[in-house]
Amino acid sequence: MDLLIELFSEEIPARMQARAAQDLKKLVTDGLVEAGLTYAAAAAAATPRRLALTLEGLPAVSPDRREERKGPKVGAPDKAIEGFLRGAGVTRDQLEERDTPKGAVWFATIEHKGRPAAEIVAEVLEATVRGFPWPKSMRWGVGSLRWVRPLHSILCILTDEHGPQVVPLEIDGLKAGDTTRGHRFMAPGEIRVASFEDYVAKLKAAHVVLDPTERAGTIWHDAQQKAFALGFEVVEDAGLLAEVAGLVEWPVVLLGDIADEFIELPPEVLQTSMKEHQKFFSVKNPGSGRIEKFVTVANRDTADHGVTILAGNQKVLAARLSDAKFFWENDLRQAKAQGLEAWTDRLGNVTFHNKLGSQRDRIERIAALAREIAPVVGADADLAAQAAKVAKADLSSEMVYEFPELQGIMGRYYAEAAGLDPQVAAACEEHYSPLGPSDDVPTAPVSVAVALADKLDTLTGFWAIDEKPTGSKDPFALRRAALGVIRLVLANGVRLRLDQFIDAQLLKHEIARARADDAHETEIDALEQTLQEIAKHGVFGAAFDVVLKALHKADKAPPTHDGSYLARVRETMPDLSDDLLAFIHDRLKVHLREEGIRHDVIDACVNMPGNDDLTLLVARARALQAVLDTDDGANLIQGFKRANNILAQAEEADGVEYSYGPDVKFAEDETEKALFAALDAAEAKIGPAMISEDFAAAMGAMAELRGPIDAFFEAVQINTENQILRRNRLNLLARIRDICLRVADLTRIEG
Amino acid sequence: MANTTLTQPKSFQEIILRLQNYWAEKGCAVLQPYDMEVGAGTFHPATTLRALGSQPWAAAYVQPSRRPTDGRYGENPNRLQHYYQYQVLIKPSPPDLQELYLGSLEAIGIDMAMHDIRFVEDDWESPTLGAWGLGWEVWCDGMEVSQFTYFQQVGGHDCRPVSGELTYGLERLAMYVLGIDHVMDMPFNAPTAPIPLSYGDIFRQTEREYSRFNFDVAETEILFRHFEDAEAECKAILDHPATDPKTGREIVMAHPAYDQCIKASHIFNLLDARGVISVTERQAYIGRVRALAKMCADAFVLTEAGGAGA
């Protein structure tokens, strides 16, 4: 038998249709199979008003089934046995006693008679409808049934050689039948259906194309044909095509003109406005390279072949674009007359976050930071600061107010119009990047400086006010910001000591807060002085201590006793900074996982000095991963761990640290002597390699120790009776440990 | 389906009158606009409050609406800071609401055989009202002519039964039906009237004045203060015990409190137009208005009209 199901409703959102068709198929087929009803083939489809499913080759009746169920022990209390009988639906004389390793046990054999397909289908479909996983569902009228929009009818028929049979089924007053309806406007009447083939054919006659792929194919084909006939090309947009195919049952493609007065608008504006508001495809003139026409898709044929519909669409577009043009011209006029800094000034009225000041305050901080980062990334410091000052100016523009997704893109246009340096204009657009894991990373130095400053200021700002991401909650997109920092640094090989910048930026946020909280002038002064010293000392703590010492000497020190404001800052600031760096390291692990670098490899490298220089950290991690991927590398780790374990045990038992150098004159065994030689050779290579940051060479030299270490452990007993030999061997192990730990913290490597 | 005997409307007011007649014939009580500044027809208590509770309801009305940020000094062909919405609310939503709605389009002269009508997903949410529903924006030849919503929640309360809400943007719809390109050119009364008046004759002046006022003049200090006052007043009204000491009756003052909620919401819109509310602060202000709306909804369901004791 063949099964046909159609769930006919008010318009289903385009974005949900494909998934819903698949869910319908899965839920129904899973349910049938579980109930013992197999099928040969299944297919599902969706239109704006219906979900349809067809199954071929169902048996008329599900096969009989026997189930064996193990019950209580023989001699168990009557109560237990009666409960079992009830559950299994058998009588006491039907039980069978069997011996098991745990003694005699009652067994029941339950006969499940096969059931008619219609009965099973009805049950499964009802459960499917009631539990359908719509992303969002609703109630309507007085009912309690939930569906994506009001559900109007259910078609459910089983067809065999004798013809179709309606499956008896009723859900909240909706009785299943064998009828549906055609196109809402072109063929609204009722249609009686006998089979899937009949259904598809009658729908088509009633101006409904059931298959979404067919609808999308028709739209794309017709759109290209119409554009091609004029020598134009349609701008591809797979997402838009799928969406538009979900908005129509009877697609009719219409090609329209963009009025001349709008063609000079930036193409991004045209495309965004047409796509977001009208769901139009952009059509390009390859000659001029501009977007000059559009394609819209109507849901019906008309007597005038779409002339009225197209005229209406053109009118709507003209209204939209005249809005856009108004914004564009106003913005351009202002950008040329006043420059972009006037827009930035206006952002002084816009709060970024009530604990982090206005957008302009934020821009000032980013500009100062961009100036400091500039030399590290090879950018001109003045240009970087200037770029940061205008990079977000377009947030004040009318176009971006209307189309927030055009932020940055408009900034670039306006910066160009204002006659700013091309590097500055580029930074306006590029400093937001990278937005996602696959977004391009800027490489122009000025853009990199502003992009890094923007993200670091955001991260430190929200860390300073304790608004870190928790679980799935990340309202300020801080994970994305951290990944942005990582990708900017790695893609450009930037050698940035993050600690220093994080500490300085955290301190700036703290100073701003201290000012707002009316901290004492001497306290603020001490923090300001510390800020000046951070670059010299690398981190906040060291700089702060130096400043306070000097102030004490000069007898100008603010209070620093326990519980004082400054004591609290001294205590919390380094933790905050460590915590943020650890967060960045965590994102780095996620980022490098795709590259095949294990998280424990990164841990091993994070535990080394200089871990705030991400470029260095990743170079080390890549080298370590590469070595671990070799036989020598993997075995060396085992050798290292063995050495480390023996040493750790001995050190604990003896209460000493074996850090005296071993002496080769106490070496007895040949392998022992060879290990001395190998360690000397490795050390000679590793030292210079580490200085020149050639981790591959250092790790290679380390991996060469594998043979000598293995041979040594094979031949030599460490914990020998002779205490001199034992001590010397333990010191030799300590040398292995010291040499290996110079390249990475191998104790962190798992396995 | 096309009713070819029906003539095309000639003016803005004729379209309004036809909608009034149509929905009156379909059984709606034709109400008058609410006498306060609101951002949309939904704010009228005939929608917001009446969507709550179990009592059946069917109402239609025009509501003047204000969106200060949309002011364009009367120059933009389509944008106004003051415009009209036509609003229909029926509870419980009838099964043929889509057909009823399409009938209203025919009544104002849209021939279904020549136009492309589409129901495009648009989940409606009013963060300030703590309300949401599922539905569509209705497109006619690519233009949004209405919002169609099945209310699921208002003021944090589940809607049982569910109301169906229709909102028509009257200027836009009328311009389309009348074939007008600039809203100010649209005939307001009959073009053949002894004194024909265009939309611009009536509203160009006010659009200019309010655009300037909304964007650059409205005193933000005063507005911030008024917001606080409305918020405090709303809470104070609801803090009164239900028993009126004078009459001895149970009188929960949901509507007077809701007026203050409407006020706070409009003041927030003005502050927004003045550009003095940041993205993050916005959330906080919206949350404060929502808290008021929720309190009013909580109060309304305790009243007779709100279905208490039904």
Side-chain angles (χ1 to χ4, degrees), chain A residues 10-11 13 15 136 138-139 141 149 152 184 278 297 299-300 304 312-313 315-316 319 323 351-352 402, chain B residues 76 78-79 93 95 98 112 114-116 118 121 123 135-136 141-142 150 152 159 162 176 181 278 280-281:
Chain A
E10 297 178 14
E11 278 75 357
R15 65 188 170 92
K136 262 186 190 173
M138 54 165 275
R139 293 172 287 105
R149 294 293 184 274
H152 279 270
R184 182 188 278 287
Q278 304 303 134
V297 183
N299 187 32
R300 63 164 307 149
D304 66 353
N313 274 286
K315 197 166 182 174
V316 179
D323 240 9
T351 309
F352 168 61
E402 186 65 14
Chain B
N76 185 287
N78 307 288
R79 274 193 203 246
S93 65
Q98 279 187 312
M112 297 291 142
M114 297 306 286
H115 294 276
D116 182 34
R118 227 87 71 69
E121 177 190 15
D123 297 345
W136 311 273
D141 303 337
Y150 293 101
Q152 302 295 302
C159 297
V162 168
Y176 193 73
D181 289 328
S278 73
T280 35
E281 277 179 319

Short mmCIF file of all heavy atoms in Angstrom, two decimals, chain A residues 10-11 13 15 136 138-139 141 149 152 184 278 297 299-300 304 312-313 315-316 319 323 351-352 402, chain B residues 76 78-79 93 95 98 112 114-116 118 121 123 135-136 141-142 150 152 159 162 176 181 278 280-281:
data_model
loop_
_atom_site.label_atom_id
_atom_site.label_comp_id
_atom_site.label_asym_id
_atom_site.label_seq_id
_atom_site.Cartn_x
_atom_site.Cartn_y
_atom_site.Cartn_z
N GLU A 10 -2.40 27.64 7.15
CA GLU A 10 -2.12 29.00 6.70
C GLU A 10 -0.60 29.11 6.47
O GLU A 10 0.14 28.21 6.85
CB GLU A 10 -2.67 30.00 7.74
CG GLU A 10 -4.19 29.88 7.84
CD GLU A 10 -4.87 30.79 8.87
OE1 GLU A 10 -4.23 31.73 9.36
OE2 GLU A 10 -6.05 30.54 9.19
N GLU A 11 -0.15 30.19 5.86
CA GLU A 11 1.21 30.26 5.30
C GLU A 11 2.34 29.96 6.30
O GLU A 11 2.50 30.65 7.31
CB GLU A 11 1.44 31.62 4.63
CG GLU A 11 0.87 31.69 3.22
CD GLU A 11 -0.66 31.83 3.15
OE1 GLU A 11 -1.31 31.81 4.21
OE2 GLU A 11 -1.17 31.97 2.03
N PRO A 13 6.18 29.90 7.39
CA PRO A 13 7.36 30.71 7.09
C PRO A 13 8.33 29.97 6.17
O PRO A 13 8.60 28.78 6.36
CB PRO A 13 7.99 30.95 8.47
CG PRO A 13 6.84 30.90 9.41
CD PRO A 13 5.90 29.86 8.84
N ARG A 15 11.47 30.02 5.82
CA ARG A 15 12.72 29.46 6.37
C ARG A 15 12.49 28.14 7.10
O ARG A 15 13.44 27.42 7.40
CB ARG A 15 13.38 30.48 7.29
CG ARG A 15 12.57 30.78 8.53
CD ARG A 15 13.15 31.93 9.34
NE ARG A 15 12.20 32.32 10.37
CZ ARG A 15 12.22 31.83 11.61
NH1 ARG A 15 13.12 30.94 11.96
NH2 ARG A 15 11.32 32.22 12.49
N LYS A 136 8.94 27.59 16.27
CA LYS A 136 8.00 28.44 17.01
C LYS A 136 6.62 27.97 16.62
O LYS A 136 6.35 27.82 15.43
CB LYS A 136 8.13 29.89 16.54
CG LYS A 136 8.97 30.78 17.38
CD LYS A 136 8.85 32.19 16.84
CE LYS A 136 9.87 33.10 17.48
NZ LYS A 136 9.85 34.42 16.84
N MET A 138 2.12 28.03 17.62
CA MET A 138 1.10 28.91 18.17
C MET A 138 -0.22 28.17 18.35
O MET A 138 -0.45 27.12 17.78
CB MET A 138 0.89 30.11 17.24
CG MET A 138 0.56 29.72 15.79
SD MET A 138 -0.10 31.09 14.82
CE MET A 138 -1.83 30.99 15.25
N ARG A 139 -1.08 28.78 19.16
CA ARG A 139 -2.48 28.34 19.27
C ARG A 139 -3.33 29.33 18.49
O ARG A 139 -2.88 30.42 18.15
CB ARG A 139 -2.90 28.32 20.74
CG ARG A 139 -2.19 27.28 21.58
CD ARG A 139 -2.51 27.45 23.06
NE ARG A 139 -1.84 28.61 23.62
CZ ARG A 139 -2.45 29.75 23.92
NH1 ARG A 139 -3.76 29.88 23.74
NH2 ARG A 139 -1.77 30.77 24.41
N GLY A 141 -7.77 30.63 17.82
CA GLY A 141 -9.16 30.47 18.24
C GLY A 141 -9.26 30.02 19.69
O GLY A 141 -8.55 30.52 20.56
N ARG A 149 1.15 27.78 12.15
CA ARG A 149 0.07 28.73 11.89
C ARG A 149 -1.18 27.86 11.91
O ARG A 149 -1.07 26.62 11.87
CB ARG A 149 0.21 29.41 10.51
CG ARG A 149 1.41 30.33 10.33
CD ARG A 149 1.32 31.58 11.20
NE ARG A 149 2.44 32.49 10.96
CZ ARG A 149 3.62 32.41 11.55
NH1 ARG A 149 3.85 31.45 12.45
NH2 ARG A 149 4.58 33.27 11.28
N HIS A 152 -5.58 23.76 8.88
CA HIS A 152 -6.96 23.75 8.38
C HIS A 152 -7.46 22.37 7.99
O HIS A 152 -8.64 22.08 8.15
CB HIS A 152 -7.11 24.71 7.19
CG HIS A 152 -7.27 26.13 7.62
ND1 HIS A 152 -8.49 26.70 7.87
CD2 HIS A 152 -6.36 27.09 7.90
CE1 HIS A 152 -8.33 27.95 8.26
NE2 HIS A 152 -7.03 28.21 8.29
N ARG A 184 -4.25 29.53 -3.61
CA ARG A 184 -5.18 30.35 -2.83
C ARG A 184 -6.07 31.21 -3.73
O ARG A 184 -7.26 31.36 -3.47
CB ARG A 184 -4.41 31.25 -1.87
CG ARG A 184 -5.32 32.12 -1.00
CD ARG A 184 -4.53 33.12 -0.20
NE ARG A 184 -3.94 32.58 1.02
CZ ARG A 184 -4.63 32.26 2.12
NH1 ARG A 184 -5.94 32.39 2.14
NH2 ARG A 184 -4.02 31.79 3.17
N GLN A 278 12.51 43.72 -0.05
CA GLN A 278 11.61 43.28 -1.13
C GLN A 278 11.82 41.84 -1.58
O GLN A 278 11.03 41.34 -2.36
CB GLN A 278 11.79 44.21 -2.34
CG GLN A 278 11.56 45.68 -2.05
CD GLN A 278 10.19 45.96 -1.47
OE1 GLN A 278 10.06 46.68 -0.51
NE2 GLN A 278 9.16 45.36 -2.04
N VAL A 297 9.60 37.72 -7.81
CA VAL A 297 8.89 36.49 -8.12
C VAL A 297 7.47 36.60 -7.57
O VAL A 297 7.28 36.72 -6.36
CB VAL A 297 9.60 35.27 -7.50
CG1 VAL A 297 8.88 33.99 -7.89
CG2 VAL A 297 11.05 35.23 -7.96
N ASN A 299 3.39 35.22 -7.21
CA ASN A 299 2.79 33.93 -6.86
C ASN A 299 1.62 33.59 -7.77
O ASN A 299 0.80 32.74 -7.44
CB ASN A 299 2.35 33.97 -5.39
CG ASN A 299 1.88 32.63 -4.89
OD1 ASN A 299 2.36 31.58 -5.33
ND2 ASN A 299 0.91 32.63 -3.97
N ARG A 300 1.49 34.29 -8.92
CA ARG A 300 0.34 33.97 -9.77
C ARG A 300 0.52 34.51 -11.19
O ARG A 300 1.30 35.42 -11.43
CB ARG A 300 -0.94 34.54 -9.17
CG ARG A 300 -0.96 36.08 -9.09
CD ARG A 300 -2.38 36.56 -8.86
NE ARG A 300 -3.24 35.98 -9.89
CZ ARG A 300 -4.52 35.69 -9.73
NH1 ARG A 300 -5.11 35.95 -8.59
NH2 ARG A 300 -5.22 35.17 -10.70
N ASP A 304 -2.92 40.34 -17.40
CA ASP A 304 -2.02 41.32 -18.05
C ASP A 304 -0.55 40.88 -17.98
O ASP A 304 0.35 41.70 -18.15
CB ASP A 304 -2.20 42.70 -17.41
CG ASP A 304 -1.75 42.73 -15.95
OD1 ASP A 304 -1.42 41.64 -15.41
OD2 ASP A 304 -1.71 43.81 -15.36
N GLY A 312 3.57 47.75 -9.57
CA GLY A 312 3.46 47.94 -8.12
C GLY A 312 4.81 47.73 -7.44
O GLY A 312 5.24 48.53 -6.62
N ASN A 313 5.48 46.65 -7.83
CA ASN A 313 6.78 46.36 -7.23
C ASN A 313 7.78 47.47 -7.50
O ASN A 313 8.58 47.83 -6.64
CB ASN A 313 7.31 45.02 -7.76
CG ASN A 313 6.79 43.84 -6.95
OD1 ASN A 313 7.21 43.61 -5.83
ND2 ASN A 313 5.82 43.12 -7.50
N LYS A 315 7.16 50.53 -7.99
CA LYS A 315 6.78 51.69 -7.20
C LYS A 315 7.26 51.55 -5.75
O LYS A 315 7.80 52.50 -5.17
CB LYS A 315 5.26 51.78 -7.23
CG LYS A 315 4.73 53.09 -6.82
CD LYS A 315 3.27 53.13 -7.23
CE LYS A 315 2.67 54.45 -6.88
NZ LYS A 315 1.31 54.51 -7.40
N VAL A 316 7.07 50.36 -5.22
CA VAL A 316 7.52 50.11 -3.85
C VAL A 316 9.03 50.29 -3.77
O VAL A 316 9.56 50.92 -2.85
CB VAL A 316 7.15 48.69 -3.40
CG1 VAL A 316 7.64 48.44 -1.98
CG2 VAL A 316 5.67 48.47 -3.49
N ALA A 319 10.03 53.85 -3.77
CA ALA A 319 9.82 54.48 -2.47
C ALA A 319 10.95 54.12 -1.52
O ALA A 319 11.51 54.98 -0.84
CB ALA A 319 8.48 54.03 -1.89
N ASP A 323 14.05 56.76 -0.19
CA ASP A 323 14.46 56.88 1.21
C ASP A 323 15.98 56.75 1.32
O ASP A 323 16.65 57.57 1.92
CB ASP A 323 13.82 55.72 2.00
CG ASP A 323 12.92 56.23 3.11
OD1 ASP A 323 12.67 57.45 3.15
OD2 ASP A 323 12.46 55.40 3.91
N THR A 351 25.08 56.22 24.83
CA THR A 351 25.76 55.39 25.81
C THR A 351 26.13 54.05 25.17
O THR A 351 25.30 53.42 24.52
CB THR A 351 24.85 55.11 27.01
OG1 THR A 351 24.34 56.36 27.46
CG2 THR A 351 25.60 54.44 28.14
N PHE A 352 27.38 53.65 25.35
CA PHE A 352 27.79 52.33 24.87
C PHE A 352 27.31 51.29 25.88
O PHE A 352 26.67 50.30 25.54
CB PHE A 352 29.31 52.29 24.71
CG PHE A 352 29.86 50.91 24.49
CD1 PHE A 352 29.48 50.17 23.38
CD2 PHE A 352 30.76 50.35 25.39
CE1 PHE A 352 29.98 48.89 23.18
CE2 PHE A 352 31.25 49.08 25.19
CZ PHE A 352 30.86 48.35 24.09
N GLU A 402 19.23 53.31 9.31
CA GLU A 402 18.20 52.57 8.59
C GLU A 402 18.63 51.13 8.30
O GLU A 402 17.84 50.20 8.41
CB GLU A 402 17.90 53.30 7.27
CG GLU A 402 16.74 52.72 6.49
CD GLU A 402 15.41 52.86 7.21
OE1 GLU A 402 15.34 53.64 8.18
OE2 GLU A 402 14.45 52.16 6.83
N ASN B 76 9.46 63.48 2.64
CA ASN B 76 9.56 62.12 2.12
C ASN B 76 8.19 61.66 1.63
O ASN B 76 7.18 61.91 2.28
CB ASN B 76 10.06 61.20 3.24
CG ASN B 76 10.32 59.79 2.74
OD1 ASN B 76 9.37 59.05 2.48
ND2 ASN B 76 11.57 59.43 2.60
N ASN B 78 6.81 58.87 1.61
CA ASN B 78 6.16 57.77 2.32
C ASN B 78 6.26 57.82 3.83
O ASN B 78 5.67 57.01 4.49
CB ASN B 78 6.78 56.44 1.87
CG ASN B 78 6.75 56.30 0.37
OD1 ASN B 78 5.71 56.11 -0.20
ND2 ASN B 78 7.91 56.45 -0.25
N ARG B 79 7.06 58.74 4.35
CA ARG B 79 7.28 58.66 5.79
C ARG B 79 6.68 59.84 6.53
O ARG B 79 6.82 60.98 6.10
CB ARG B 79 8.76 58.58 6.09
CG ARG B 79 9.26 57.19 6.03
CD ARG B 79 10.63 57.13 6.64
NE ARG B 79 11.30 55.97 6.10
CZ ARG B 79 11.65 54.93 6.85
NH1 ARG B 79 11.39 54.93 8.14
NH2 ARG B 79 12.25 53.91 6.30
N SER B 93 -10.06 34.21 17.50
CA SER B 93 -9.80 34.40 16.07
C SER B 93 -10.67 33.42 15.28
O SER B 93 -10.65 32.23 15.56
CB SER B 93 -8.32 34.15 15.77
OG SER B 93 -7.97 32.80 16.02
N PRO B 95 -11.97 31.01 12.17
CA PRO B 95 -11.18 30.16 11.28
C PRO B 95 -11.00 30.77 9.88
O PRO B 95 -10.06 30.41 9.18
CB PRO B 95 -11.98 28.85 11.20
CG PRO B 95 -13.29 29.11 11.83
CD PRO B 95 -13.18 30.33 12.68
N GLN B 98 -8.34 34.86 7.47
CA GLN B 98 -7.59 35.26 6.25
C GLN B 98 -8.55 35.67 5.14
O GLN B 98 -8.33 36.66 4.45
CB GLN B 98 -6.70 34.10 5.78
CG GLN B 98 -5.39 33.99 6.54
CD GLN B 98 -4.47 32.95 5.91
OE1 GLN B 98 -4.91 31.83 5.62
NE2 GLN B 98 -3.21 33.29 5.71
N MET B 112 -8.22 40.94 -6.71
CA MET B 112 -7.35 39.81 -6.42
C MET B 112 -6.83 39.13 -7.69
O MET B 112 -5.83 38.44 -7.67
CB MET B 112 -8.09 38.75 -5.58
CG MET B 112 -8.52 39.23 -4.23
SD MET B 112 -7.11 39.49 -3.15
CE MET B 112 -7.67 40.94 -2.30
N MET B 114 -5.72 40.56 -10.32
CA MET B 114 -4.66 41.31 -10.99
C MET B 114 -3.44 41.55 -10.11
O MET B 114 -2.40 41.98 -10.57
CB MET B 114 -5.20 42.68 -11.45
CG MET B 114 -6.30 42.61 -12.46
SD MET B 114 -5.82 41.62 -13.90
CE MET B 114 -4.70 42.78 -14.69
N HIS B 115 -3.59 41.30 -8.82
CA HIS B 115 -2.50 41.63 -7.89
C HIS B 115 -1.91 40.38 -7.24
O HIS B 115 -2.52 39.32 -7.25
CB HIS B 115 -3.00 42.59 -6.82
CG HIS B 115 -3.37 43.94 -7.36
ND1 HIS B 115 -2.46 44.94 -7.57
CD2 HIS B 115 -4.57 44.43 -7.76
CE1 HIS B 115 -3.07 46.00 -8.07
NE2 HIS B 115 -4.36 45.72 -8.20
N ASP B 116 -0.75 40.55 -6.68
CA ASP B 116 -0.02 39.45 -6.05
C ASP B 116 -0.05 39.67 -4.54
O ASP B 116 0.67 40.51 -4.02
CB ASP B 116 1.43 39.47 -6.58
CG ASP B 116 2.26 38.33 -6.03
OD1 ASP B 116 1.71 37.24 -5.81
OD2 ASP B 116 3.47 38.53 -5.82
N ARG B 118 0.54 38.25 -0.80
CA ARG B 118 1.40 37.26 -0.17
C ARG B 118 1.37 37.41 1.35
O ARG B 118 1.27 38.53 1.86
CB ARG B 118 2.84 37.47 -0.63
CG ARG B 118 3.54 36.22 -1.06
CD ARG B 118 3.28 35.91 -2.52
NE ARG B 118 3.96 36.84 -3.39
CZ ARG B 118 5.28 36.89 -3.53
NH1 ARG B 118 6.07 36.11 -2.85
NH2 ARG B 118 5.81 37.73 -4.38
N GLU B 121 6.17 35.75 6.47
CA GLU B 121 6.40 35.60 7.92
C GLU B 121 6.80 36.91 8.58
O GLU B 121 7.71 37.59 8.13
CB GLU B 121 7.54 34.59 8.17
CG GLU B 121 7.87 34.48 9.65
CD GLU B 121 9.14 33.70 9.94
OE1 GLU B 121 9.94 33.47 9.02
OE2 GLU B 121 9.34 33.32 11.10
N ASP B 123 6.94 37.65 12.68
CA ASP B 123 6.54 37.39 14.05
C ASP B 123 6.51 38.71 14.77
O ASP B 123 7.50 39.41 14.85
CB ASP B 123 7.52 36.43 14.72
CG ASP B 123 7.50 35.10 14.01
OD1 ASP B 123 6.55 34.87 13.24
OD2 ASP B 123 8.43 34.31 14.21
N GLY B 135 2.41 35.51 12.90
CA GLY B 135 1.57 35.92 11.78
C GLY B 135 2.42 36.32 10.60
O GLY B 135 3.48 35.73 10.38
N TRP B 136 1.96 37.32 9.91
CA TRP B 136 2.63 37.73 8.68
C TRP B 136 2.54 39.24 8.51
O TRP B 136 1.70 39.90 9.09
CB TRP B 136 1.93 37.13 7.46
CG TRP B 136 1.66 35.68 7.56
CD1 TRP B 136 2.50 34.66 7.20
CD2 TRP B 136 0.46 35.06 8.03
NE1 TRP B 136 1.91 33.46 7.43
CE2 TRP B 136 0.65 33.67 7.93
CE3 TRP B 136 -0.75 35.54 8.52
CZ2 TRP B 136 -0.32 32.74 8.30
CZ3 TRP B 136 -1.72 34.62 8.90
CH2 TRP B 136 -1.51 33.25 8.80
N ASP B 141 1.72 43.17 -4.21
CA ASP B 141 2.72 43.51 -5.22
C ASP B 141 4.02 44.01 -4.58
O ASP B 141 4.59 45.01 -4.99
CB ASP B 141 2.17 44.59 -6.17
CG ASP B 141 0.89 44.14 -6.85
OD1 ASP B 141 0.67 42.91 -6.94
OD2 ASP B 141 0.11 44.99 -7.29
N GLY B 142 4.45 43.30 -3.55
CA GLY B 142 5.73 43.63 -2.92
C GLY B 142 5.63 44.71 -1.87
O GLY B 142 6.63 45.05 -1.24
N TYR B 150 -1.69 36.53 15.20
CA TYR B 150 -2.42 35.77 16.21
C TYR B 150 -1.72 36.00 17.54
O TYR B 150 -0.62 35.49 17.75
CB TYR B 150 -2.42 34.28 15.86
CG TYR B 150 -3.21 33.93 14.61
CD1 TYR B 150 -2.58 33.68 13.39
CD2 TYR B 150 -4.60 33.84 14.66
CE1 TYR B 150 -3.30 33.36 12.25
CE2 TYR B 150 -5.33 33.52 13.52
CZ TYR B 150 -4.68 33.28 12.32
OH TYR B 150 -5.40 32.97 11.20
N GLN B 152 -0.35 35.67 21.06
CA GLN B 152 -0.11 34.54 21.94
C GLN B 152 0.04 34.99 23.40
O GLN B 152 -0.35 34.30 24.31
CB GLN B 152 1.14 33.78 21.49
CG GLN B 152 1.06 33.26 20.06
CD GLN B 152 -0.03 32.21 19.87
OE1 GLN B 152 -0.01 31.18 20.54
NE2 GLN B 152 -0.99 32.46 18.99
N CYS B 159 -2.64 34.35 25.97
CA CYS B 159 -3.96 34.72 25.47
C CYS B 159 -4.79 33.45 25.28
O CYS B 159 -4.45 32.60 24.46
CB CYS B 159 -3.83 35.45 24.14
SG CYS B 159 -2.94 37.00 24.26
N VAL B 162 -7.26 32.85 21.75
CA VAL B 162 -6.34 33.66 20.97
C VAL B 162 -7.11 34.70 20.16
O VAL B 162 -8.15 34.39 19.59
CB VAL B 162 -5.53 32.75 20.02
CG1 VAL B 162 -4.77 33.57 18.99
CG2 VAL B 162 -4.58 31.87 20.82
N TYR B 176 -1.41 53.31 -2.49
CA TYR B 176 -1.31 52.25 -3.49
C TYR B 176 -2.61 52.12 -4.27
O TYR B 176 -2.61 52.10 -5.50
CB TYR B 176 -0.96 50.92 -2.82
CG TYR B 176 -0.54 49.91 -3.84
CD1 TYR B 176 0.69 50.04 -4.46
CD2 TYR B 176 -1.38 48.88 -4.22
CE1 TYR B 176 1.08 49.15 -5.43
CE2 TYR B 176 -1.01 47.98 -5.20
CZ TYR B 176 0.23 48.12 -5.80
OH TYR B 176 0.61 47.25 -6.78
N ASP B 181 1.93 58.92 -5.69
CA ASP B 181 3.35 58.71 -5.44
C ASP B 181 3.86 59.44 -4.20
O ASP B 181 4.84 59.04 -3.61
CB ASP B 181 4.18 59.17 -6.65
CG ASP B 181 3.99 58.22 -7.81
OD1 ASP B 181 3.80 57.01 -7.56
OD2 ASP B 181 4.01 58.68 -8.97
N SER B 278 20.99 55.26 24.45
CA SER B 278 21.92 54.37 23.76
C SER B 278 21.31 52.98 23.61
O SER B 278 20.27 52.68 24.19
CB SER B 278 23.18 54.23 24.59
OG SER B 278 22.89 53.44 25.71
N THR B 280 22.25 50.19 24.80
CA THR B 280 22.12 49.43 26.04
C THR B 280 21.05 50.02 26.95
O THR B 280 20.27 49.30 27.56
CB THR B 280 23.46 49.34 26.78
OG1 THR B 280 24.15 50.56 26.57
CG2 THR B 280 24.28 48.20 26.28
N GLU B 281 21.02 51.35 27.00
CA GLU B 281 19.99 51.99 27.84
C GLU B 281 18.60 51.69 27.31
O GLU B 281 17.65 51.55 28.08
CB GLU B 281 20.19 53.51 27.82
CG GLU B 281 21.22 54.00 28.79
CD GLU B 281 21.34 55.51 28.67
OE1 GLU B 281 21.33 56.04 27.53
OE2 GLU B 281 21.44 56.17 29.70
#
